[in-house]
């Protein structure tokens, strides 16, 4: 039986419009950017909005970096709906091998469910010490991304991944860690950047490569919203 492809809303109209309707279900979606650009906040904002709109859905959240701030989660929940917290299942793998095990033993996902992995390359970075290790962890990351794609396509669930960055040699630019693999497997890629105003972020659509102007989002107590002027 084929599943109808849909989108899930972020709860931010301008971002949904940039994405062409929201994040893709049955696919991998990637948010990347430098530290403190709002990747986790955007993920949580999407989770709470989606659960509020889909009473039968659940969210599985893998806190790979073990950096999910409990007070920040509580702050967003207080604004978005504390009653939604029991429908978020939180896991914290402590090593790269445990990350693979966690993916293999996910709670059963069904159409409408949302899986967040924050961040998919958090533990990966600590394993790339030499060429042999890099080859091995890249092979494992490729396997994980392929597995996630298969789960998304067969269950109708949505995969939302965050990614860290590294500097591009001799430039002022950054790119996702493990960018070749992430760009290959991701249906949608959003880059977040800081702006001159500390609470604002640029959101740039990198994939699909369409001529859509970046938008400005604002980080606040309730999560992340459209730009507050």
């Amino acid at each position: 039986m084929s599943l109808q492809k849909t989108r899930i809303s972020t709860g931010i109209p301008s971002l949904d419009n940039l994405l062409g309707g929201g994040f893709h279900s049955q696919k991998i979606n990637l948010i990347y950017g430098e530290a403190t650009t709002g990747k986790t906040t955007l993920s949580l904002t999407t989770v709470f909005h989606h659960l509020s709109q889909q009473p039968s859905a659940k969210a599985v959240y893998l806190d790979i970096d073990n950096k999910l701030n409990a007070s920040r989660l509580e702050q967003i929940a207080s604004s978005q709906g504390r009653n939604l917290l029991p429908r978020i299942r939180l896991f914290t793998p402590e090593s790269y091998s445990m990350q693979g095990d966690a993916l293999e033993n996910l709670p059963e996902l069904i159409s409408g469910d949302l899986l967040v992995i924050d961040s998919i390359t958090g533990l990966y970075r600590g394993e790339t010490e030499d060429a042999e290790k890099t080859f091995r962890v890249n092979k494992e990351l490729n396997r994980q991304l392929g597995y996630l794609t298969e789960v998304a396509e067969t269950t109708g669930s949505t995969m939302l991944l965050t990614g860290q960055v590294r500097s591009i040699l001799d430039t002022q630019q950054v790119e996702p860690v493990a960018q070749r693999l992430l760009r290959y497997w991701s249906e949608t890629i959003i880059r977040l950047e800081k702006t001159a105003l500390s609470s604002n972020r640029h959101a740039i659509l990198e994939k699909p490569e369409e001529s859509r102007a970046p938008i400005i989002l604002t980080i606040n107590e309730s999560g992340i919203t459209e730009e507050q002027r």
Side-chain angles (χ1 to χ4, degrees):
M1 179 180 67
S2 62
L3 297 168
Q4 183 180 5
K5 292 184 179 180
T6 59
R7 304 266 188 157
I8 72 160
S9 171
T10 64
I12 309 167
S14 60
L15 181 56
D16 284 349
N17 183 61
L18 181 68
L19 292 165
F23 289 119
H24 281 272
S25 62
Q26 295 184 256
K27 299 292 182 181
I28 289 176
N29 304 270
L30 175 68
I31 305 165
Y32 84 93
E34 296 183 81
T36 70
T37 50
K39 302 181 295 294
T40 297
T41 299
L42 178 53
S43 299
L44 289 173
T45 299
T46 301
V47 164
F48 278 98
H49 177 73
H50 180 63
L51 293 181
S52 72
Q53 299 299 304
Q54 301 290 331
S56 62
K58 66 179 176 294
V60 178
Y61 198 107
L62 271 64
D63 178 23
I64 302 295
D65 290 330
N66 195 19
K67 292 180 180 178
L68 181 58
N69 187 291
S71 61
R72 181 58 168 151
L73 176 61
E74 177 70 22
Q75 187 180 48
I76 295 175
S78 295
S79 173
Q80 303 289 339
R82 290 178 51 82
N83 61 307
L84 301 174
L85 282 172
R87 291 162 57 196
I88 302 174
R89 303 184 185 181
L90 179 64
F91 298 88
T92 309
E94 297 177 356
S95 68
Y96 192 60
S97 62
M98 288 178 67
Q99 175 176 319
D101 292 340
L103 295 182
E104 294 287 352
N105 295 281
L106 291 170
E108 183 179 358
L109 297 172
I110 61 174
S111 180
D113 287 346
L114 175 60
L115 172 65
V116 178
I117 303 179
D118 183 19
S119 74
I120 188 67
T121 50
L123 294 170
Y124 162 98
R125 296 189 76 167
E127 297 291 326
T128 55
E129 298 171 358
D130 54 49
E132 182 179 346
K133 276 194 171 184
T134 299
F135 175 81
R136 188 163 61 247
V137 296
N138 277 335
K139 184 177 180 180
E140 171 61 15
L141 181 59
N142 186 63
R143 185 194 69 80
Q144 291 180 15
L145 293 168
Y147 177 74
L148 289 171
T149 297
E150 181 181 3
V151 171
E153 290 177 346
T154 56
T155 65
S157 56
T158 301
M159 304 293 160
L160 182 57
L161 279 51
T162 73
Q164 299 178 336
V165 300
R166 63 182 179 189
S167 299
I168 301 175
L169 189 64
D170 298 326
T171 75
Q172 299 296 315
Q173 299 176 321
V174 296
E175 64 185 12
V177 173
Q179 69 145 341
R180 290 185 181 180
L181 290 175
L182 288 174
R183 291 192 188 279
Y184 175 79
W185 287 105
S186 299
E187 183 78 8
T188 299
I189 300 177
I190 287 285
R191 182 173 85 250
L192 295 179
E193 290 183 346
K194 295 180 181 180
T195 70
L197 188 61
S198 61
S199 61
N200 281 358
R201 300 291 185 267
H202 280 126
I204 301 108
L205 180 68
E206 290 194 345
K207 187 179 180 181
E209 297 180 3
E210 299 178 1
S211 298
R212 297 187 181 182
I215 62 170
I216 298 179
L217 304 174
T218 297
I219 295 178
N220 51 38
E221 290 186 359
S222 65
I224 195 163
T225 64
E226 293 187 318
E227 180 185 11
Q228 305 297 302
R229 298 180 182 277

